[in-house]
Amino acid sequence: MPLGADPERWQTFRGERLVVAVARTVTSTVRVLDVLRPVLRDDPRVHLVFAFDPTSAFNDGVHALLRSVGARVLPWHQFARTDPDLIVTATENADLTTAHHTCPVLVLPHGVGFHKVVPDSRSDRDRLAGVVPDALLRSGRARLAISHPDQAAQLAAAHPATAGRTLLVGDPCYDALLGGRALRATYRAALGIADGRRLIMISSTWRDRSVLGQDPALPARLLAELPLDDYALALVTHPNITSAHGGYALRSHLGSAHDAGLLTIPPTAGWQATLLAADLLIGDHGSVTFYGAALGTPLLLGAFSDDEAVAGTPMAELGRIAPRLRLDAPLRPQVERALGRGRGPAGDTLERLRKVGESAFATPGRALARLRTAVYDLLHLPEPENGAPLPLHAPEPPVPQDRPEATTACYVHTSLVEDPSGSAGRSGSSIASGSWGSSGSPGSPGASGTSVPCPSEGSPGWRGPWEMEGPRIAVERIPAAVAAFSPSSAAPSAVDTATPLGDALDGPFRHLCCADDEWDRRWPESASVLVRRTTADTAVAADRWIDDTLARYPGCLLAAATVTGRGCRVGLRDGRTIEVSATGTQHEAAVLAAVVYACVRARRPLAGFATLALGDRTEDVELRPARRASQPRPTG
């Protein structure tokens, strides 16, 4: 419907009814946008315009959202002069009683049910979220959409004026989630989650009792404990967080986590698909947590406000039985236990949570159809007879905001385990005599104050050549950007100790590995291993880069570059070069260089075969001594 003076002169579609959708916050606007287009699909009899109510403290972003979808927007002062046939909104706070309107008002929930107590914008008290003011209820115009019959009884007990004013619709958002379960692999691919990695999703509602309100550093802490080759982390925040603090401040608070690979999902789109892609949800008393429970997603509560959850509701029951994430304890063991899906008590709890979640949704799969019937009944129009059937849209694939670049600086943990089945060996090469300390120079002391000798063949400590069934080398990487958030008291900051983490000769060891073009210059200046980000065309080009890098960074022990079609070349400071290749798909220089580094630290020969273990994946790796294409630089 054209707006302004004499609108009938300008319109193309001669509609019979006018629907005004009231937009007040981003959260409520998204809910209306999600349902009105399919409900009014293929029906030019109905004009649809939006009215923007600017009175909310959380109105930031509403105008931009409406513009992004091409919605026609009424200024709030002009809304009072319209004569709509139906007002649709998902906010209970818009003042809809002061104008002359007499049409019905359909109020959609912008969460799951009526389970939360929130601050009242009109007073200093709290109120039940989702319930319109008594004045609108007394007018008889309001209809409250509910997703389960039990909610009608709950509302009538809390607000008697709601009796007879509810419409059982179901939950369109839950229906979309059910329809998108078969697209899980598509959603994971859109997020860049490779096979074998587990996706952890954090969902935070707003206020100080939320996940981020309780621990703003939780994303960084998780990234500091969960190896990046095993796990990915995505964060969804309630739109009110951005409205209250601003996107700039939020990105600043999450700076280290973002540098470490955190996927931030727009609160207006993408959270549903991310939830379907997730292996574990860390949530609170927000609706996203409840949807996750209903879908059977493994769940940990990073926070839960018992004061905000309404007693006797399914959300309160969820808070009672869901396992809690202890923020004062190491996080990785808790995550790993929660991922033990379907086994023992954890599996029983997961099934109980799923049933609690499902108890809030009646008639799954029919919400849009029931909503369309309700809308046309309120408009006193028959439903379209010749229109296309209602679509069954699955959530669209997620598009992370400010998608992080590949992590280029990592602390790498390596350890060696002998394969007891090993037998006769292949030809190997000894590690040259000398020692490797934190600076990388022969004879220099390590962080413990002692040098680490590299034995020659036949001397004590010599291990002999490898076999195909030789040592298993486990590699784990943690982004350097979040090293300060590690729970270990020995966690490094910007200094690479290059020493074992334990007393065993086979590790575990830790070193800092960094790409040559890392923008944070703390890391290449301190790294024991530097890698070339781009692939070299020839071995000569790789060796020249190795020589230049070792000369530029005197503390570097190894420099590594992949060569097109020839695996990875790793140059040591003593002039030797090792070619490393994997039998599978692993070609990343940082990982292959970690194999060489572990052998140097464990006094192993740099020739032969080993098994690389990276997360749940294993590959055979071969090391071959090679002649460096250029003369080695002096090391003394």
Side-chain angles (χ1 to χ4, degrees), residues 532-582:
R532 173 170 164 155
R533 179 91 76 94
T534 59
T535 300
D537 293 331
T538 64
V540 172
D543 289 349
R544 286 175 179 168
W545 176 86
I546 288 171
D547 288 341
D548 290 343
T549 299
L550 292 173
R552 185 179 302 114
Y553 299 99
C556 176
L557 307 182
L558 281 71
T562 55
V563 182
T564 302
R566 296 188 59 178
C568 177
R569 289 176 75 84
V570 181
L572 283 67
R573 183 162 290 281
D574 64 5
R576 286 176 298 152
T577 299
I578 307 299
E579 287 189 345
V580 190
S581 59

Side-chain angles (χ1 to χ4, degrees), residues 54-402:
T55 61
S56 172
F58 303 103
N59 62 24
D60 184 59
V62 174
H63 240 235
L65 176 59
L66 292 173
R67 283 197 303 268
S68 72
V69 298
R72 194 70 171 93
V73 182
L74 277 170
W76 192 241
H77 69 272
Q78 191 174 343
F79 169 60
R81 299 198 298 269
T82 63
D83 188 19
D85 297 285
L86 174 64
I87 296 172
V88 179
T89 185
T91 176
E92 65 271 26
N93 289 313
D95 190 349
L96 302 177
T97 59
T98 57
H100 70 281
H101 303 138
T102 59
C103 67
V105 178
L106 177 58
V107 184
L108 307 175
H110 60 261
V112 177
F114 304 86
H115 62 248
K116 192 173 180 180
V117 174
V118 295
D120 187 353
S121 61
R122 297 181 177 86
S123 70
D124 58 358
R125 300 187 300 271
D126 290 339
R127 60 172 178 80
L128 180 63
V131 180
V132 297
D134 286 342
L136 186 58
L137 289 171
R138 288 194 298 268
S139 73
R141 297 167 56 207
R143 303 290 189 277
L144 305 183
I146 60 175
S147 62
H148 194 278
D150 289 349
Q151 294 164 10
Q154 176 204 348
L155 289 174
H159 291 272
T162 64
R165 297 297 174 185
T166 59
L167 293 174
L168 178 60
V169 171
D171 190 308
C173 182
Y174 180 61
D175 288 356
L177 287 166
L178 293 178
R181 288 181 296 183
L183 300 179
R184 172 179 164 85
T186 299
Y187 299 145
R188 291 175 66 86
L191 292 168
I193 310 300
D195 290 342
R197 294 180 80 197
R198 298 172 179 88
L199 175 61
I200 312 300
M201 175 180 171
I202 301 176
S203 172
S204 178
T205 191
W206 55 299
R207 302 183 72 195
D208 58 349
R209 302 287 185 88
S210 66
V211 169
L212 289 184
Q214 291 291 291
D215 188 358
L218 181 61
R221 292 179 58 201
L222 284 165
L223 289 164
E225 292 194 46
L226 301 175
L228 67 83
D229 296 294
D230 296 330
Y231 295 92
L233 185 67
L235 172 67
V236 174
T237 57
H238 193 286
N240 283 3
I241 296 178
T242 303
S243 292
H245 299 280
Y248 183 89
L250 182 60
R251 287 190 294 272
S252 177
H253 296 334
L254 300 172
S256 293
H258 185 271
D259 290 345
L262 176 68
L263 298 167
T264 52
I265 308 301
T268 56
W271 69 263
Q272 298 99 324
T274 304
L275 179 58
L276 291 168
D279 296 288
L280 174 68
L281 173 63
I282 297 176
D284 49 29
H285 51 286
S287 291
V288 176
T289 304
F290 199 89
Y291 284 122
L295 292 171
T297 305
L299 171 66
L300 286 173
L301 291 178
F304 194 87
S305 177
D306 294 298
D307 294 336
E308 293 180 54
V310 177
T313 62
M315 177 61 83
E317 178 66 6
L318 180 149
R320 188 183 70 82
I321 64 176
R324 305 288 177 112
L325 180 71
R326 286 190 53 192
L327 299 176
D328 60 346
L331 303 176
R332 181 176 178 179
Q334 300 180 72
V335 167
E336 291 176 341
R337 283 196 300 271
L339 286 169
R341 142 179 261 171
R343 295 195 294 269
D348 296 340
T349 299
L350 194 62
E351 180 62 16
R352 291 173 64 196
L353 287 170
R354 187 186 63 78
K355 290 181 178 179
V356 168
E358 289 180 340
S359 70
F361 307 112
T363 64
R366 298 179 57 197
L368 281 179
R370 296 181 71 99
L371 181 59
R372 181 169 66 174
T373 297
V375 166
Y376 279 93
D377 283 348
L378 293 171
L379 287 172
H380 301 292
L381 277 177
E383 295 184 43
E385 295 181 359
N386 301 321
L390 278 171
L392 297 175
H393 286 310
E396 294 183 359
V399 180
Q401 293 175 315
D402 304 323

